[in-house]
Amino acid sequence: MGIDLGTSAVKALVLEAASGRRLGEGRAEYPLLTRRPGWAEGDPEEWWRQTVVAVRMALDLVEPGQVAAIGVTGQMHGVVPVDATGNPVRAALLWPDQRAIDQLARFEQLPVQLQEQLANPFAPGMAGPLLCWLAQKEPEAFAHMRWALQPKDWLRWRLTGEVATEASDASATLLYDVQRDQWATAVMEALGLPRELFAPLLPAGAPAGYLQESAARELGLRPGLPVATGAADVAASLLGAGVLAPGSLLFSLGSGAQFVLLCQEPQPDLQRRIHLYRAADGRHWYRMAAVQNAGLALDWVRRALQANWTELYASSEAEVAVQEPLFFLPCLTPERPYHPRPQAAGWLHLRLGHERRHLLHAALEGVAFGMRLALEALSEGEEGGQLLVVGGGSLHPGWRQMLADILGRELWAVAEKDTAVRGAALLAGLAAGYWKDAAALEARRPPVLSVTAPGARRAVYQERYQRYRELLLSPAAAVLEEREAGGTRLRESRGRVGQLEPE
């Protein structure tokens, strides 16, 4: 069984070890809390309640006694601050959170040799800056904290009562020495963060504990099952999609989007635009261009214009709007460093003749243009191998066609939309001893479902993309960015972001 603790939903999947066939699956949702402008939080106890729902749903067609092991994965970055008993001392702080922007100055002021250890862009939604904010702004909660856990590590504690982590999540905290492949103790000391807050490191496919009786009773499983350490969702997705060696490029579409490329050795981006993290197999690394404003931005547009997901995606197929002078700048939450205007958000060149359908189409197009900026930063003109697309946000054929046209690449849709939870289930198999190592998962590689090639609109979109790039450097975009600088568009949700379908 794999369990994926996402931003707005938890998924459970039971795989047959011999064939890799799906035997049962479940999904349950919970809100992303935005109680103040710029904040993005989660309630771990609600995570657990919905995990119980998803697991029991996955067991509808499976005898609980058949489940041999559990693996976990989940959203990256953020932090779940817990006390000595593993109970949260406050709500979890999650990856879209912007409250720690001011704390990034502390990372910029670190000695160069310490910055080089981190080998990653500095983003406010990562555990390091968020913990600095917590220590400064909520010292009482910080004083009561015993462990600073990643979301999937908190879930595993709830399953086993044991505290641990692994390198794919740890390397995404801005507190990890990438070159030495260990916690960056010197960085922690420089920031005033106690080393003992951070869990010991174990291999992703190792048993990190065993299902305790209280959790087993709630889930409907037998106690004593080995629970794999697990991996961050992107690292688990690489396993679940069958990307086991450098070559193919993984394109994952959910609340955020990621372009991911495996590499043999850690290769930092000297311009600090691209992320560099540990892969789940313990042998490889991966370079990643992350897009904050994917499903997160589209969900806001959908709700603001009172559209459902089907209507939004269907607008990608309309012939209207591709010739219209309307553009959407999607940075509703500040974008990652690859973006030249990381806070520019809104529709540009609105006219009286524009209708709701034009706004929907422009939103899809603008989000796709942002993805192309990320892909170009990662590949730097090198086309590379197959572009494998996964994730719930990649299912609509019209949307996939628009993406192929805008990216100018064939999209190879993997016949497994939930690759992260599949990867977690495969790690459970490793922990239970079904396979010797991650390389043995080659036979469990999911097939390609379809290939979407750039079509007739490619030339129009290429022209519009060049215009989009020009707009990003225009005075109009500068005004939009400055107007929103230091703020957040998450406040539009008035307390909570809705359920994000493309999880």
Side-chain angles (χ1 to χ4, degrees):
M1 173 177 284
I3 304 174
D4 176 14
L5 189 70
T7 307
S8 61
V10 57
K11 301 170 187 173
L13 174 67
V14 182
L15 289 184
E16 185 180 58
S19 66
R21 181 171 58 93
R22 283 172 171 255
L23 298 178
E25 55 190 295
R27 184 180 190 274
E29 298 178 343
Y30 38 74
L32 173 65
L33 306 176
T34 56
R35 291 180 273 225
R36 295 188 187 181
W39 288 25
E41 299 181 335
D43 177 0
E45 290 302 327
E46 181 64 15
W47 293 349
W48 175 250
R49 285 189 287 271
Q50 299 310 319
T51 296
V52 171
V53 172
V55 167
R56 285 188 170 270
M57 193 182 303
L59 293 173
D60 276 352
L61 301 176
V62 179
E63 287 293 329
Q66 291 180 280
V67 177
I70 301 171
V72 292
T73 186
Q75 56 182 295
M76 298 171 65
H77 315 304
V79 66
V80 186
V82 301
D83 61 21
T85 65
N87 293 311
V89 302
R90 69 172 321 284
L93 295 76
L94 306 182
W95 62 271
D97 201 290
Q98 298 296 311
R99 76 186 73 187
I101 285 178
D102 291 344
Q103 279 67 34
L104 295 185
R106 297 186 62 186
F107 286 80
E108 297 287 356
Q109 293 162 6
L110 289 171
V112 172
Q113 63 270 28
L114 295 186
Q115 293 188 34
E116 289 176 348
Q117 287 182 13
L118 304 178
N120 273 287
F122 301 155
M126 294 182 175
L130 289 171
L131 286 167
C132 290
W133 182 93
L134 199 60
Q136 180 182 350
K137 302 294 186 179
E138 296 184 5
E140 185 174 348
F142 188 83
H144 282 89
M145 184 170 54
R146 171 62 185 88
W147 298 103
L149 299 179
Q150 294 292 285
K152 70 101 170 52
D153 295 326
W154 179 85
L155 176 60
R156 190 183 348 85
W157 167 81
R158 197 71 172 73
L159 295 168
T160 67
E162 302 288 342
V163 172
T165 192
E166 44 69 52
S168 71
D169 249 339
S171 58
T173 60
L174 284 182
L175 296 169
Y176 195 80
D177 187 333
V178 169
Q179 296 298 333
R180 294 183 177 85
D181 201 13
Q182 63 187 25
W183 286 116
T185 305
V187 172
M188 295 174 185
E189 291 176 355
L191 296 171
L193 300 176
R195 168 64 183 86
E196 56 268 22
L197 288 178
F198 304 96
L201 294 160
L202 295 175
Y210 298 87
L211 187 62
Q212 55 187 344
E213 189 167 341
S214 58
R217 192 163 48 247
E218 289 188 71
L219 296 171
L221 292 167
R222 57 187 172 90
L225 295 178
V227 180
T229 313
D233 56 1
V234 175
S237 284
L238 286 165
L239 288 181
V243 182
L244 306 176
S248 298
L249 187 67
L250 186 69
F251 177 26
S252 178
L253 274 170
S255 302
Q258 301 86 29
F259 293 96
V260 188
L261 191 61
L262 271 185
C263 49
Q264 295 284 1
E265 302 292 337
Q267 303 168 6
D269 175 19
L270 298 181
Q271 299 180 58
R272 285 220 306 260
R273 301 163 302 164
I274 304 303
H275 301 273
L276 177 64
Y277 302 137
R278 221 4 162 162
D281 62 9
R283 297 189 302 116
H284 292 97
W285 297 80
Y286 66 88
R287 303 176 73 235
M288 179 177 75
V291 179
Q292 294 267 103
N293 294 279
L296 198 69
L298 292 176
D299 181 66
W300 179 86
V301 169
R302 178 188 66 80
R303 288 180 295 108
L305 297 179
Q306 298 183 352
N308 58 40
W309 285 105
T310 300
E311 184 181 11
L312 172 63
Y313 287 138
S315 72
S316 64
E317 301 174 325
E319 290 293 342
V320 297
V322 294
Q323 300 290 351
E324 296 286 337
L326 180 64
F327 286 89
F328 179 69
L329 305 183
C331 301
L332 301 176
T333 185
E335 196 46 86
R336 297 295 175 90
Y338 72 86
H339 203 288
R341 291 279 188 211
Q343 298 195 73
W347 283 275
L348 286 180
H349 301 325
L350 275 168
R351 300 289 185 269
L352 285 174
H354 286 132
E355 302 173 5
R356 181 164 165 272
R357 55 182 177 159
H358 300 108
L359 299 179
L360 292 171
H361 183 102
L364 286 173
E365 183 189 62
V367 167
F369 285 159
M371 293 175 185
R372 177 162 170 178
L373 288 171
L375 177 59
E376 289 176 346
L378 177 64
S379 60
E380 296 181 330
E382 296 180 12
E383 185 157 315
Q386 294 175 342
L387 187 57
L388 303 174
V389 61
V390 299
S394 68
L395 298 181
H396 192 281
W399 172 223
R400 207 159 57 229
Q401 183 64 61
M402 177 187 274
L403 288 167
D405 292 340
I406 289 174
L407 297 177
R409 296 279 302 273
E410 288 185 341
L411 299 184
W412 296 62
V414 174
E416 175 59 71
K417 70 182 181 71
D418 297 323
T419 50
V421 71
R422 181 182 177 86
L426 294 174
L427 289 170
L430 287 170
Y434 279 98
W435 305 292
K436 180 182 178 182
D437 54 31
L441 301 178
E442 177 71 31
R444 305 297 180 278
R445 183 195 305 272
V448 170
L449 184 65
S450 64
V451 179
T452 304
R457 295 189 194 175
R458 178 179 180 179
V460 173
Y461 281 128
Q462 300 313 302
E463 182 179 337
R464 285 180 60 78
Y465 176 67
Q466 295 309 316
R467 176 63 179 139
Y468 174 84
R469 288 181 62 91
E470 293 168 7
L471 277 172
L472 290 178
L473 303 178
S474 72
V479 168
L480 282 175
E481 182 175 47
E482 180 154 341
R483 185 181 297 160
E484 298 296 341
T488 177
R489 263 59 72 207
L490 291 177
R491 64 176 176 273
E492 297 289 344
S493 59
R494 299 185 182 274
R496 58 179 58 183
V497 171
Q499 309 308 318
L500 305 184
E501 182 216 62
E503 177 63 34

